[in-house]
Amino acid sequence: MQGFPIIVLNFKAYSEAVGEKGVKLAKYAEEVSREYGVSIVVAPPVTMLSRIANSVSIPVFAQHVDPHFPGSWTGSVTVEMIKEAGAAGSLVNHSEKRMILSDISIVVKRLREEKLVSLLCTDTVETTRAGAGLSPDMIAIEPPELIGTGISVSKAKPEIVIGAVDAVKKINPSVHILCGAGISTGEDVGRAIELGTEGVLLASAYVKAKDPKNILSSMAEYALKAWEKTQSSK
């Protein structure tokens, strides 16, 4: 990754993320990353990991990884599998793929051991505080009730974002903090960074957009402006 700010694009299991359509989405992200100098990560479906990792130079994350070592775990996705496929890291505990705390701890540790990046998803200030204690590389706070609504957390619930940022700074300031849920416009991204985050995690606003590259370009532009503003005020 180039650094921060960062935009993480979760492709989920949308039909737009499969096959050549998914590759195009990843390539658009790569183009915007180069044009604006903003770190952009894509998280395609597991069946697309290798193909997309071999098609772009930006980081590619898995959407989920299980807390298992290689062995008799039918249907599981191990850290070794995503690393071999070319992944640079993985989302952990997304609201649509929840995990118990002990498994989260194992996954974060295993990703670290394999030199892969962990992006832990949390839903409240309290779970963010607990998550920071596990020392993931990044945390993204996402109130699940706002996911996919088009109502951004940075506007609808700024107090949650501010609380999460403060909690992480107190518990483990080495953890990078992002936010997600309802992030749909460049303005949403800029506001998130102004609230103290280092970037955003989003999905449908990009994947299902009629002009995804244009949407992402706007987000990158707002992210840079907000980042420069916040950094200059420190």
Side-chain angles (χ1 to χ4, degrees):
M1 293 185 292
Q2 299 177 33
F4 293 87
I6 184 172
I7 299 173
V8 181
L9 304 169
N10 179 10
F11 290 5
K12 299 195 176 183
Y14 291 124
S15 59
E16 290 88 348
V18 179
E20 190 58 32
K21 291 181 290 185
V23 174
K24 285 183 178 180
L25 285 174
K27 288 186 175 180
Y28 288 151
E30 180 182 44
E31 291 169 9
V32 173
S33 178
R34 286 176 176 171
E35 182 177 352
Y36 288 89
V38 173
S39 290
I40 300 179
V41 174
V42 295
V46 67
T47 56
M48 293 294 295
L49 264 180
S50 182
R51 182 173 176 182
I52 288 180
N54 287 321
S55 300
V56 296
S57 59
I58 58 174
V60 178
F61 281 14
Q63 295 178 9
H64 168 78
V65 67
D66 292 301
H68 304 311
F69 286 90
S72 55
W73 304 101
T74 301
S76 294
V77 178
T78 66
V79 171
E80 289 79 7
M81 288 177 184
I82 67 167
K83 185 175 182 179
E84 192 277 334
S90 182
L91 306 184
V92 182
N93 191 51
H94 190 275
S95 65
E96 294 156 359
K97 201 71 172 177
R98 284 286 185 230
M99 304 173 72
I100 61 174
L101 188 61
S102 59
D103 285 349
I104 293 172
S105 179
I106 291 170
V107 167
V108 169
K109 181 180 179 181
R110 297 217 59 229
L111 288 167
R112 186 185 306 118
E113 290 172 345
E114 293 295 330
K115 295 180 172 54
L116 300 180
V117 177
S118 54
L119 172 48
L120 174 61
C121 299
T122 58
D123 58 352
T124 64
V125 174
E126 290 72 26
T127 57
T128 300
R129 186 177 293 112
L134 300 177
S135 297
D137 295 291
M138 296 183 281
I139 287 179
I141 183 165
E142 289 191 300
E145 66 272 16
L146 295 178
I147 292 176
T149 63
I151 303 171
S152 72
V153 62
S154 57
K155 290 182 179 178
K157 296 190 175 182
E159 69 281 0
I160 291 181
V161 178
I162 294 171
V165 170
D166 289 343
V168 170
K169 286 181 178 178
K170 290 177 181 177
I171 299 296
N172 192 342
S174 66
V175 176
H176 299 287
I177 181 74
L178 316 181
C179 74
I183 301 292
S184 304
T185 67
E187 186 178 0
D188 294 339
V189 175
R191 181 60 179 148
I193 292 172
E194 289 173 356
L195 291 172
T197 72
E198 295 170 272
V200 294
L201 169 64
L202 64 129
S204 58
Y206 175 70
V207 178
K208 301 183 77 65
K210 292 182 178 180
D211 189 346
K213 186 177 179 181
N214 185 57
I215 288 286
L216 189 57
S217 294
S218 174
M219 290 179 173
E221 185 174 351
Y222 271 89
L224 278 178
K225 288 180 180 178
W227 184 256
E228 290 169 359
K229 179 180 177 181
T230 56
Q231 295 303 299
S232 64
S233 64
K234 289 184 178 180

